[in-house]
Amino acid sequence: MFKKLLLLIMVFAFMVVYAGCGGKENPGGDTPDQTPDIPTVKDKMLVVDKDGVRLGEIDSRANCTAADAGIFYSIFELAEYKPTADAEYRFFSKEDKTDVLLGTFENQGYEASYARTELGGRIYTLAVQGAVSTENVPLVLLAFDPAKRTMKAFTVSENGFPYADMTAVNGKLLIMNHEMAGIKEDRIYEFNPADETIRQVLSFSSDTDSLRGICAAEEGFYVLRLKINNGGENEMFVDLYDKEYGKKSEQSVNEAMIRALENGPGVTGRQDALNELGMYVLQFTVEDGRYMFYENFSVSRVILDLETGEALLSQDDMYSVSTGNGKPVLYRMDFDPDNVEAPEITGVENGKLVNYAFKPMDSHKLVRAVSRSNAGTWLVMTSDDAKAFSWTLAIHLWTE
């Protein structure tokens, strides 16, 4: 009984602090009140290599993403009853072990940290400047150069939506935004790093089509789209576009996703599955032109074979899809040390599910977050088991 109670306390506490420790923010959710019995996280977390050799340490509040050359992270803490705060963006280099400030973004209301994208040695993220409950807040593209230790900011839209998305295609960035303030359009913008210009390239009426995600394809990009059928069931599509923004194909994944959700944990019945498909999306990636990794802001995580319509894996919110530009994996977040035999980190290779071997330090064996960069840098955040109602975090960082 005590173990079950401790597990519930740990899960509750972790969900409170996880958004500041590499986790996924939950839009619209209230922050539970703190109580004296909730475990706290210590100020620093250790950074080690795959073998546990110390590389350095960073702030334990860090929201981390794997980059080719190290760890890109932000520190963003909202004070009680304050809708905005200044966000600090930093970089830890795995080569020279330095931890440097890249810049500070003032009056941030939310960062879509799940959309962070690395391109041409720079790291990009999206944030809204101002309270997310306000209709007219700008969506801002933040560009960081770790080598030069610089930050630049570019306004994408004056009518920003917090849960935007971004991908890199043909040397440019594509940014998806749901226009606010009564415009009733979902738009895709192009950012050209060569001349640092932004232009709108596609638009959709949000009365009929609501965009949920965007990701790169071999010869273009994919868009995850929810078709709004007023008076009937909405329908989910995966659309393929070429590099010139011409639509090549569309594929309904509605029934395949409903089957996957109904056969997985956390969803009961068709209506429940349809409700899940209406949620905003954290991760949408198509690997090898075929395998769709999907995670929403609710309880659904799916790996779907777009060719066969069969789900390779369907899980609940104890699982998450990795962040970063690298090949996606689906991993289990661990909270109970008595039930952890080995970390569960699953990807797809040659059409088959594979489990990636990873042995964390004995003192920190509970997986909290996973991120991969395009060049093969792995970042796995782990924690101890909070026996003394106070846990510490650690980051394992290595290159394949």
Short mmCIF file of all heavy atoms in Angstrom, two decimals, residues 291 312 347-354:
data_model
loop_
_atom_site.label_atom_id
_atom_site.label_comp_id
_atom_site.label_asym_id
_atom_site.label_seq_id
_atom_site.Cartn_x
_atom_site.Cartn_y
_atom_site.Cartn_z
N TYR A 291 6.21 5.48 -41.61
CA TYR A 291 5.84 5.22 -40.22
C TYR A 291 5.58 6.54 -39.49
O TYR A 291 6.49 7.35 -39.29
CB TYR A 291 6.93 4.40 -39.53
CG TYR A 291 7.23 3.13 -40.27
CD1 TYR A 291 8.36 3.00 -41.07
CD2 TYR A 291 6.33 2.06 -40.22
CE1 TYR A 291 8.61 1.84 -41.78
CE2 TYR A 291 6.58 0.89 -40.92
CZ TYR A 291 7.71 0.79 -41.71
OH TYR A 291 7.95 -0.37 -42.42
N LEU A 312 1.77 -0.17 -35.24
CA LEU A 312 2.86 -0.96 -34.68
C LEU A 312 2.85 -0.88 -33.17
O LEU A 312 3.29 -1.82 -32.48
CB LEU A 312 4.21 -0.49 -35.22
CG LEU A 312 4.65 -1.00 -36.60
CD1 LEU A 312 3.76 -0.46 -37.71
CD2 LEU A 312 6.10 -0.62 -36.88
N GLY A 347 12.05 2.22 -31.31
CA GLY A 347 12.03 2.87 -32.61
C GLY A 347 11.66 1.88 -33.69
O GLY A 347 11.32 0.73 -33.42
N VAL A 348 11.73 2.33 -34.95
CA VAL A 348 11.42 1.48 -36.09
C VAL A 348 12.64 1.41 -37.00
O VAL A 348 13.16 2.45 -37.43
CB VAL A 348 10.20 2.01 -36.88
CG1 VAL A 348 9.93 1.12 -38.09
CG2 VAL A 348 8.97 2.08 -35.99
N GLU A 349 13.07 0.20 -37.30
CA GLU A 349 14.16 -0.03 -38.26
C GLU A 349 13.77 -1.16 -39.19
O GLU A 349 13.37 -2.24 -38.73
CB GLU A 349 15.46 -0.37 -37.53
CG GLU A 349 16.04 0.79 -36.73
CD GLU A 349 17.39 0.47 -36.10
OE1 GLU A 349 17.93 -0.63 -36.41
OE2 GLU A 349 17.90 1.29 -35.32
N ASN A 350 13.83 -0.88 -40.50
CA ASN A 350 13.47 -1.88 -41.51
C ASN A 350 12.07 -2.45 -41.28
O ASN A 350 11.82 -3.64 -41.46
CB ASN A 350 14.51 -3.02 -41.54
CG ASN A 350 15.90 -2.52 -41.84
OD1 ASN A 350 16.09 -1.70 -42.74
ND2 ASN A 350 16.88 -3.01 -41.13
N GLY A 351 11.18 -1.57 -40.86
CA GLY A 351 9.79 -1.97 -40.68
C GLY A 351 9.49 -2.73 -39.42
O GLY A 351 8.35 -3.17 -39.22
N LYS A 352 10.47 -2.89 -38.56
CA LYS A 352 10.29 -3.64 -37.32
C LYS A 352 10.54 -2.75 -36.11
O LYS A 352 11.39 -1.86 -36.13
CB LYS A 352 11.25 -4.84 -37.26
CG LYS A 352 11.12 -5.80 -38.44
CD LYS A 352 9.80 -6.54 -38.43
CE LYS A 352 9.73 -7.57 -39.55
NZ LYS A 352 8.42 -8.28 -39.58
N LEU A 353 9.80 -3.02 -35.03
CA LEU A 353 10.06 -2.33 -33.77
C LEU A 353 11.36 -2.84 -33.17
O LEU A 353 11.61 -4.04 -33.14
CB LEU A 353 8.92 -2.57 -32.79
CG LEU A 353 7.56 -1.96 -33.13
CD1 LEU A 353 6.54 -2.32 -32.05
CD2 LEU A 353 7.64 -0.45 -33.28
N VAL A 354 12.19 -1.91 -32.72
CA VAL A 354 13.45 -2.27 -32.07
C VAL A 354 13.54 -1.54 -30.75
O VAL A 354 13.06 -0.41 -30.60
CB VAL A 354 14.68 -1.93 -32.95
CG1 VAL A 354 14.68 -2.75 -34.22
CG2 VAL A 354 14.71 -0.44 -33.28
#
